[in-house]
Amino acid sequence: MDADLVVVGAGLFGLTVAQQAVERTGAQVQIIDVRDHIGGNAYSYMDEETGAEIHKYGAHLFHTSNRRVWDYVNRFTAFTDYTHRVYTTHRGEVFPLPINLGTINQFFHAHYTPAQAQALVQEQAGELAGTDPANLNDQGISLIGRPLYEAFIKNYTAKQWQTDPSELPASIIKRLPVRFNYDNHYFKDTWEGLPKDGYTAWFERMIDDPRISVKLSTDFFDDSQPWNRDALVGQVPVVYTGPVDRYFDYQLGELKWRTVEFKERRYNEDDHFGCPVMNFSDPDVPYTRAIEFKNFNPERYDRQSHDSTVVWEEYSRFAGKGDEPYYPINTADDRSLYNQYKELAAAQPQVVFGGRLGTYAYYDMHQVINSALVAFDKQIEPLLGE
């Protein structure tokens, strides 16, 4: 093989590893991806009609408190000053999220002080106040009280997971933010923004090096092409970021994922929602949220159409074979199955498994990048020095 390292998957984990390999060891790196683009689920493209940057696999918002990650990504892109705020429609009325003092006072048509709002929530949690419930339904009530939970969380979660919240683990919303002030910033990280030139331009800069080659529309499991599993494993170091169960031909069973589908709507108006993301918490609306992409980039106002806008409605369901896996279901049975695959993965010669698919974990973008940097330090660089 002409490559010193083969990276399977051109998402953020794979791109970071490839960039580090050429910079720190001078390696020749071959990236392959079954898709026809780089960037994984963070890939974006420009919509010709509206001038909006479309996030092909749903809204991707960069935020981090990790100094190493922030310094690293700023080598390849500058960021806008975008700060994420979310709103939700409930019974024909729009409320700010996460739940904060504004949400509480609007919902109860009141003017509670922070202390009064805290006391109200505790009272409405009833016997669940201060407890540590095992399921999501009771955990939500314990955190924000029954009325707020049933209005904003219960039905949204049921749509998102296609499962009754009483059957979901409490860990899903253990850190449900509730603020007893008027702060409606969605993230609390130190740094936040969107890449000024778009996600794809950022990713292209990461691998703009003659020592990195990219082959798209190339299936690692297709033995009719040379960059396949059977030809590579044991012959050259491989970083694999695809589904871990697929790597082993599902020999222990299939891990379960949720996927999302999008339905596009176009409106002959400048702005339809007035915000980038609008959640819909009521059960009679079949989608969980709607994304109006042009509102992520108000700094591009002069380059965008003011006669049309594009909105994607997001629908959640269980993933089957052939679907794009987004979020691990992570039941106890799934975790047990993954741990068995993890043992098999550890025995693979010169193969490092990474990314959300390779490690059966949900990561934000900054977490993917950090895990790639750490994996390169601890696992991949030593392989390249052998």
Side-chain angles (χ1 to χ4, degrees):
M1 294 292 175
D2 295 331
D4 302 309
L5 175 69
V6 176
V7 176
V8 182
L12 269 172
F13 191 97
L15 297 179
T16 301
V17 165
Q19 188 279 327
Q20 288 286 281
V22 298
E23 180 175 89
R24 292 169 57 177
T25 72
Q28 296 286 330
V29 179
Q30 177 68 56
I31 300 174
I32 67 170
D33 199 297
V34 71
R35 291 173 171 171
D36 62 359
H37 60 75
I38 65 170
N41 279 12
Y43 168 75
S44 67
Y45 63 91
M46 300 305 294
D47 180 67
E48 292 184 4
E49 179 185 355
T50 63
E53 181 183 349
I54 306 296
H55 303 186
K56 183 174 181 178
Y57 302 94
H60 278 72
L61 310 163
F62 192 81
H63 55 96
T64 187
S65 295
N66 185 317
R67 166 62 77 176
R68 183 185 186 190
V69 170
W70 182 244
D71 288 346
Y72 179 74
V73 298
N74 272 271
R75 294 175 53 191
F76 310 105
T77 182
F79 286 85
T80 69
D81 59 1
Y82 175 82
T83 54
H84 193 46
R85 292 177 171 85
V86 172
Y87 298 86
T88 189
T89 298
H90 169 62
R91 294 184 178 177
E93 189 173 352
V94 175
F95 296 84
L97 290 180
I99 291 170
N100 60 74
L101 194 55
T103 318
I104 295 168
N105 278 330
Q106 182 181 347
F107 184 77
F108 292 108
H109 305 288
H111 51 87
Y112 295 118
T113 65
Q116 289 171 331
Q118 285 180 286
L120 175 71
V121 164
Q122 187 169 16
E123 176 188 345
Q124 292 179 338
E127 71 281 2
L128 293 171
T131 63
D132 188 23
N135 70 73
L136 187 153
N137 187 80
D138 292 352
Q139 176 72 18
I141 295 171
S142 74
L143 289 172
I144 60 175
R146 189 178 298 274
L148 290 168
Y149 166 74
E150 292 185 345
F152 299 115
I153 307 299
K154 180 178 181 179
N155 295 310
Y156 183 93
T157 301
K159 289 189 292 185
Q160 186 178 36
W161 288 88
Q162 299 292 292
T163 303
D164 188 288
S166 64
E167 299 177 12
L168 292 169
S171 59
I172 293 175
I173 59 166
K174 281 281 188 183
R175 297 190 298 273
L176 178 69
V178 185
R179 300 176 187 153
F180 295 101
N181 56 30
Y182 291 96
D183 178 9
N184 70 330
H185 288 81
Y186 196 79
F187 302 119
K188 297 180 71 175
D189 281 302
T190 306
W191 300 285
E192 179 179 358
L194 296 171
K196 284 190 174 181
D197 300 324
Y199 280 104
T200 299
W202 164 12
F203 304 147
E204 288 172 344
R205 293 184 190 119
M206 290 181 71
I207 55 172
D208 184 17
D209 189 293
R211 294 167 291 184
I212 298 176
S213 299
V214 180
K215 284 182 63 65
L216 301 176
S217 302
T218 301
D219 187 350
F220 182 57
F221 302 102
D222 176 9
D223 59 12
S224 71
Q225 58 86 24
W227 303 100
N228 70 78
R229 178 188 56 188
D230 294 340
L232 296 172
V233 172
Q235 304 301 313
V236 62
V238 172
V239 173
Y240 175 79
T241 67
V244 61
D245 52 355
R246 174 68 183 91
Y247 181 94
F248 294 103
D249 298 319
Y250 308 106
Q251 63 182 265
L252 302 177
E254 293 184 39
L255 292 166
K256 298 183 183 66
W257 296 80
R258 284 189 303 115
T259 190
V260 293
E261 294 180 334
F262 303 97
K263 183 177 292 184
E264 182 175 287
R265 308 284 189 189
R266 291 182 181 264
Y267 298 94
N268 295 323
E269 52 189 303
D270 183 19
D271 193 349
H272 187 69
F273 283 114
C275 62
V277 178
M278 178 66 73
N279 287 1
F280 291 87
S281 63
D282 297 333
D284 58 340
V285 179
Y287 46 92
T288 55
R289 62 181 181 172
I291 305 165
E292 188 164 9
F293 291 102
K294 64 159 54 176
N295 288 329
F296 284 127
N297 298 100
E299 78 283 356
R300 299 175 187 169
Y301 182 85
D302 293 338
R303 290 177 277 163
Q304 295 176 338
S305 166
H306 303 294
D307 298 319
S308 61
T309 187
V310 59
V311 171
W312 281 16
E313 297 166 354
E314 184 173 313
Y315 299 77
S316 180
R317 62 174 174 79
F318 289 109
K321 279 189 177 179
D323 290 325
E324 294 289 352
Y326 279 75
Y327 308 105
I329 299 295
N330 258 338
T331 64
D333 287 344
D334 286 310
R335 295 305 304 172
S336 174
L337 180 58
Y338 168 65
N339 286 331
Q340 295 175 60
Y341 275 121
K342 188 176 179 180
E343 290 183 10
L344 294 180
Q348 287 294 290
Q350 294 186 297
V351 180
V352 174
F353 290 74
R356 60 189 179 85
L357 301 181
T359 59
Y360 195 62
Y362 177 72
Y363 292 121
D364 288 330
M365 285 184 286
H366 67 287
Q367 295 168 323
V368 173
I369 294 168
N370 183 64
S371 67
L373 292 171
V374 171
F376 188 83
D377 293 340
K378 295 183 176 181
Q379 296 173 272
I380 301 164
E381 188 170 24
L383 287 177
L384 295 174
E386 291 180 354

